């Protein structure tokens, strides 16, 4: 799908990035920019910055960044045309008739064919379940208490021992090239092609629009692994999807039930709890939490009641909190999970457990308390010190004070004393911990590129941040001096924008790129942190050194090319420019 540069820019300009991102996550004004918790990785200290003046965002923790299109592509898992369409609708902009570039058409067709393959595979597995070969899997589902209606609703199936899906899809006209990308087969030079799923009860995984995007399979009888999921493909990303979201999003409840397994979800749905979802064979992620936050504001964690389930709940709680979701934890004891609970006690008793679900923070403190012996004054003191540190996770003062009062009352400690501990750690120990976390993020964020390429990136940042500096480098640096191909293309656009309009809009440059990877890479060119705390003299010196490095590298590159080609005239010109570099810099006031 293709939209002209003018249309894309009209849509971008019609959607203020602060408003758009602010509709997904909570942003707070900090100086000239807005800060919030990054929606793309778990964090406790906000490092996600949104610039209204530059119309770009950047996370100093994970390094992601871009413009308003990039954000929707990353957050919603949209393609570039889908992001343009969504934002055009938001701004009330009528788009022209859709046109596809050959590349975009190819991607769209491939995506549709993969969806078709998964749909056909789901039908194949469902039919197999109802045949004699699928009796073991069918009986397994019936033993688990599932009705035929539920089996049909969730499209449950069976992959038999003899395989057969490959031959079935080949007969449908699908080529090996596309079948390789489906994740349903293993292509081995020696063994040939064979189905990835065999002798397994099959659980089709659907996206929010009920399209089959992958599968989970439980082995029948002995075998490892017990559960096997589709690998990630063009249409399946485990971290961005939730099992049964297509049904849960239609529920009228104001909360979701978050489970660990497929059977837990299906059992709850059959029992009337149509708001149950589960992560897909992987640890719960921030992207999944953000997905939930589109539909509800509260989550009831209903994980296994064993130690592993409790640890998983502890990991999920801060992720949910970072997404702005309130969380409670449902007690399944003495049963292992929701599936067993429902079978043993029924839906009404489960409803009662929901009504008595524990506030997630109290759940954390309850588990913490189990680590200490309250009959020992020293251990009891350590418990309250650790509790005080945990209370610091509430950045809002009123919320923190409310929780402090509640904890003090429940664990019979003076509010004044506990609050004093919280303030003590907040003013002394915690800043050090925050500093360590910040330093860790900075180390993680740094890339191995040094020297000239770093200078080229930095110079682009200088020029886009302070356009008046273009006059300083006029006649000294041009787009041709940016020697890396990617940097050159960006610099060319930057210089052209300034020449035509007297200003630069970095967010507009990102419109040139259609994939998330390209947009993120382009965004990095304008996100190098400038040393804002430097004095004017130090800034001027730093800028001059940056220009020198860019220019020096350009000259050296041209000298190298001239030497390789034997171009004596080009060599002499480069040598002359090198010899007069200091003079040229001085003339430019650098």
């Amino acid at each position: 799908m293709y939209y002209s540069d003018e249309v894309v820019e009209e849509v971008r300009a019609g959607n203020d990035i602060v408003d758009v991102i602010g509709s997904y996550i909570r942003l707070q004004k900090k100086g000239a920019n807005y800060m919030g918790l990054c929606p793309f990785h778990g964090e406790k200290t906000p490092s996600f910055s949104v610039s209204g003046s530059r119309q770009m965002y950047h996370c100093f923790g994970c390094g992601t960044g871009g413009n308003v299109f990039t954000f929707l592509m990353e957050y919603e898992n949209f393609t570039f045309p889908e992001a343009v369409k969504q934002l055009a609708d938001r701004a009330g902009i009528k788009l022209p008739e859709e046109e596809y570039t050959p590349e975009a058409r190819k991607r769209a067709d491939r995506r549709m064919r993969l969806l078709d393959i998964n749909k056909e595979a789901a039908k194949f597995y469902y039919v197999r379940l109802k045949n004699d070969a699928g009796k073991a899997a069918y009986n397994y589902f019936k033993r688990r208490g599932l009705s035929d209606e539920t089996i049909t609703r969730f499209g449950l199936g069976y992959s038999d021992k003899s395989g057969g899906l490959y031959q079935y899809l080949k007969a449908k006209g699908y080529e090996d090239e596309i079948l390789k990308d489906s994740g349903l087969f293993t292509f081995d030079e020696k063994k040939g092609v064979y189905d990835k799923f065999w002798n397994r009860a099959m659980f089709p995984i659907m996206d929010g629009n009920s399209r089959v995007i992958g599968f989970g399979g439980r082995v029948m009888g002995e075998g490892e692994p017990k559960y096997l999921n589709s690998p990630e493909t063009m249409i399946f990303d485990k971290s961005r999807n939730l099992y049964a979201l297509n049904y849960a999003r239609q529920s009228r409840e104001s909360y979701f039930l978050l489970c660990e397994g497929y059977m837990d979800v299906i059992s709850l749905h059959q029992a009337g709890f149509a708001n149950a979802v589960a992560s897909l064979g992987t640890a719960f992620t921030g992207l999944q939490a953000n997905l939930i936050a589109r539909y509800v504001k509260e989550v009831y964690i209903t994980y296994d009641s064993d130690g592993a389930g409790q640890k998983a709940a502890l990991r999920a709680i801060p992720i949910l909190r970072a997404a702005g979701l309130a969380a409670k934890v449902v007690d399944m004891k003495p049963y292992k999970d929701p599936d067993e609970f429902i079978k043993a006690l029924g839906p009404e008793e489960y409803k009662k457990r929901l009504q008595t679900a524990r506030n997630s923070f109290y759940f954390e403190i309850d588990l913490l308390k189990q680590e200490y012996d309250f009959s020992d004054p020293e251990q009891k003191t350590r418990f309250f010190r650790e509790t005080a540190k945990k209370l610091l996770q509430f950045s809002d003062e009123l919320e923190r004070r409310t929780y402090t009062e509640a904890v003090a009352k429940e664990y019979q400690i003076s509010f004044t004393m506990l609050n004093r501990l919280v303030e003590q750690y907040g003013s002394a120990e915690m800043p050090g911990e925050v500093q360590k976390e910040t330093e860790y993020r900075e180390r993680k964020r740094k890339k191995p590129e040094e020297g000239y390429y770093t200078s080229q990136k930095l110079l682009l940042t200088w020029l886009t941040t302070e356009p008046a500096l273009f006059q300083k480098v006029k006649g000294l640096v041009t787009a041709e001096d940016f020697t890396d191909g990617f940097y050159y293309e960006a610099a060319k656009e930057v210089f052209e924008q300034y020449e035509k309009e007297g200003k630069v809009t970095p967010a507009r440059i990102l419109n040139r790129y259609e994939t998330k990877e390209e947009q993120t890479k382009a965004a990095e060119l304008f996100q190098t942190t400038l040393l804002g705390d430097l004095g004017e003299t130090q800034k001027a010196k730093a800028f001059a050194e940056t220009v020198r490095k860019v220019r020096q590298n350009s000259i050296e590159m041209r000298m190298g090319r001239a030497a390789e080609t034997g171009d004596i005239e080009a060599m002499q010109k480069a040598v002359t420019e090198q010899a007069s570099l200091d003079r040229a810099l001085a003339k430019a006031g650098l």
Side-chain angles (χ1 to χ4, degrees):
M1 193 180 301
Y2 171 77
Y3 297 112
S4 69
D5 292 345
E6 292 77 16
V7 168
V8 171
E9 177 55 18
E10 181 187 2
V11 172
R12 187 201 63 77
N15 286 273
D16 179 73
I17 195 168
V18 176
D19 291 341
V20 173
I21 295 181
S23 68
Y24 288 91
I25 65 173
R26 186 169 65 181
L27 296 175
Q28 290 185 317
K29 191 89 161 64
K30 296 288 184 182
N33 297 331
Y34 291 80
M35 297 294 294
L37 293 172
C38 180
F40 305 119
H41 81 287
E43 62 177 7
K44 297 179 181 178
T45 306
S47 63
F48 187 82
S49 175
V50 183
S51 169
S53 60
R54 294 162 67 83
Q55 288 294 297
M56 295 179 70
Y57 69 90
H58 176 62
C59 176
F60 293 97
C62 64
T64 188
N67 64 6
V68 70
F69 296 122
T70 322
F71 181 82
L72 254 67
M73 291 165 71
E74 187 69 21
Y75 192 100
E76 300 276 14
N77 199 25
F78 282 168
T79 62
F80 181 72
E82 286 171 342
V84 172
K85 195 168 184 177
Q86 173 93 351
L87 290 170
D89 291 342
R90 183 180 184 276
I93 297 171
K94 183 173 175 58
L95 292 174
E97 290 297 316
E98 299 171 357
E99 296 179 30
Y100 281 89
T101 63
E103 184 181 354
R105 168 62 70 183
K106 185 177 180 181
R107 283 199 304 270
D109 287 346
R110 196 166 194 81
R111 185 180 179 87
M112 289 306 300
R113 293 197 80 203
L114 286 172
L115 287 169
D116 287 342
I117 286 172
N118 277 272
K119 183 178 179 180
E120 288 293 340
K123 288 162 57 178
F124 177 85
Y125 294 140
Y126 179 77
V127 170
R128 280 289 196 275
L129 180 72
K130 297 302 179 77
N131 291 343
D132 289 342
K135 186 172 292 185
Y138 180 76
N139 289 338
Y140 165 76
F141 288 132
K142 299 301 287 186
R143 284 197 307 273
R144 298 298 297 266
L146 301 187
S147 66
D148 286 339
E149 183 183 356
T150 297
I151 290 172
T152 300
R153 178 173 172 78
F154 283 89
L156 305 181
Y158 174 65
S159 57
D160 61 36
K161 295 179 181 179
S162 62
L165 179 62
Y166 176 69
Q167 289 78 10
Y168 172 78
L169 291 173
K170 287 291 286 186
K172 291 281 184 180
Y174 293 103
E175 311 85 9
D176 281 354
E177 182 189 7
I178 190 73
L179 293 178
K180 281 181 181 178
D181 291 345
S182 71
L184 294 170
F185 308 100
T186 299
F187 285 75
D188 188 284
E189 291 183 3
K190 295 180 179 179
K191 298 180 181 179
V193 183
Y194 54 92
D195 294 0
K196 190 175 291 291
F197 295 99
W198 59 277
N199 192 31
R200 290 180 180 272
M202 298 299 292
F203 300 81
I205 299 167
M206 303 180 196
D207 64 11
N209 296 311
S210 296
R211 297 176 300 186
V212 181
I213 55 176
F215 294 89
R218 188 202 188 279
V219 70
M220 293 289 93
E222 300 298 322
E224 292 294 336
K226 184 176 179 180
Y227 277 95
L228 178 67
N229 281 330
S230 292
E232 294 196 354
T233 67
M234 184 181 189
I235 60 173
F236 182 50
D237 183 341
K238 290 191 288 288
S239 67
R240 295 175 182 274
N241 289 282
L242 290 160
Y243 186 67
L245 177 65
N246 55 315
Y247 294 132
R249 67 197 288 262
Q250 300 173 33
S251 168
R252 295 182 179 180
E253 296 291 350
S254 60
Y255 60 90
F256 275 1
L257 300 171
L258 182 59
C259 307
E260 287 189 272
Y262 301 135
M263 282 304 304
D264 291 330
V265 170
I266 296 172
S267 292
L268 285 172
H269 277 253
Q270 182 170 273
F273 301 94
N275 53 336
V277 296
S279 52
L280 299 165
T282 184
F284 187 68
T285 70
L287 292 172
Q288 289 170 331
N290 290 329
L291 188 58
I292 291 174
R294 298 182 202 173
Y295 305 105
V296 295
K297 294 300 180 186
E298 189 173 24
V299 171
Y300 283 61
I301 301 172
T302 181
Y303 283 178
D304 290 2
S305 59
D306 58 12
Q310 290 180 338
K311 288 180 180 178
L314 285 176
R315 289 193 297 270
I317 288 168
I319 295 173
L320 291 165
R321 192 175 289 142
L325 291 160
K328 291 184 178 180
V329 181
V330 183
D331 182 11
M332 292 289 98
K333 293 177 180 177
Y335 300 97
K336 179 188 175 185
D337 53 38
D339 181 37
E340 284 189 7
F341 188 99
I342 289 288
K343 286 181 174 60
L345 301 180
E348 289 305 316
E349 287 300 316
Y350 185 78
K351 283 182 183 178
K352 292 178 182 178
R353 291 295 177 98
L354 294 180
Q355 292 166 2
T356 58
R358 192 74 163 147
N359 174 287
S360 62
F361 184 74
Y362 292 157
F363 173 79
E364 292 180 277
I365 301 301
D366 289 345
L367 290 186
L368 178 66
K369 182 177 180 293
Q370 294 175 17
E371 300 176 17
Y372 299 91
D373 179 3
F374 265 41
S375 65
D376 183 337
E378 183 178 341
Q379 289 202 38
K380 190 173 182 179
T381 301
R382 285 169 56 194
F383 164 74
F384 284 120
R385 290 188 182 278
E386 291 303 314
T387 299
K389 291 177 183 178
K390 279 187 169 293
L391 283 162
L392 284 168
Q393 66 188 252
F394 300 105
S395 57
D396 181 82
E397 185 177 352
L398 177 61
E399 186 178 23
R400 184 169 63 246
R401 186 179 180 88
T402 302
Y403 271 97
T404 303
E405 288 176 347
V407 170
K409 182 178 180 180
E410 178 147 347
Y411 291 98
Q412 299 178 343
I413 182 177
S414 160
F415 164 75
T416 302
M417 189 173 294
L418 182 58
N419 193 52
R420 189 180 301 153
L421 266 179
V422 174
E423 292 176 349
Q424 175 186 327
Y425 284 116
S427 61
E429 184 176 346
M430 290 309 291
E433 293 181 7
V434 170
Q435 177 65 27
K436 288 178 183 176
E437 184 179 346
T438 302
E439 289 174 357
Y440 169 76
R441 288 201 308 266
E442 286 296 312
R443 287 197 301 272
K444 186 177 178 183
R445 183 173 65 89
K446 287 180 181 175
K447 297 180 184 256
E449 61 181 55
E450 295 178 357
Y452 293 127
Y453 287 164
T454 300
S455 298
Q456 290 178 34
K457 180 192 289 186
L458 186 56
L459 183 54
L460 283 171
T461 304
W462 281 110
L463 294 174
T464 55
T465 304
E466 302 179 40
L469 294 174
F470 274 96
Q471 295 303 316
K472 286 276 188 182
V473 301
K474 190 174 183 179
L476 181 63
V477 174
T478 68
E480 302 293 333
D481 291 305
F482 291 79
T483 53
D484 178 83
F486 197 85
Y487 288 19
Y488 165 72
E489 291 297 330
K492 184 179 177 183
E493 179 74 17
V494 166
F495 278 82
E496 285 180 358
Q497 278 192 29
Y498 181 76
E499 288 172 8
K500 292 178 181 178
E501 305 170 27
K503 64 177 183 178
V504 177
T505 306
R508 201 166 92 201
I509 296 172
L510 271 62
N511 295 349
R512 299 163 59 98
Y513 307 100
E514 291 199 4
T515 68
K516 287 181 287 189
E517 293 75 16
E518 289 174 335
Q519 288 210 349
T520 299
K521 184 178 179 182
E524 288 177 355
L525 302 181
F526 308 104
Q527 292 165 352
T528 303
T529 305
L530 295 179
L531 305 178
D533 294 334
L534 294 179
E536 290 303 316
T537 301
Q538 292 171 305
K539 278 188 179 181
K541 185 177 179 180
F543 180 69
E545 184 59 28
T546 301
V547 174
R548 173 188 289 277
K549 285 183 178 180
V550 171
R551 184 66 175 155
Q552 178 76 36
N553 178 54
S554 175
I555 293 170
E556 289 178 0
M557 291 285 284
R558 284 187 284 117
M559 287 176 67
R561 287 197 298 268
E564 289 177 3
T565 60
D567 190 336
I568 302 301
E569 184 178 347
M571 173 73 79
Q572 289 176 337
K573 183 179 179 181
V575 170
T576 301
E577 289 180 14
Q578 174 134 323
S580 61
L581 180 58
D582 287 339
R583 201 162 52 249
L585 288 167
K587 186 177 180 181
L590 301 172

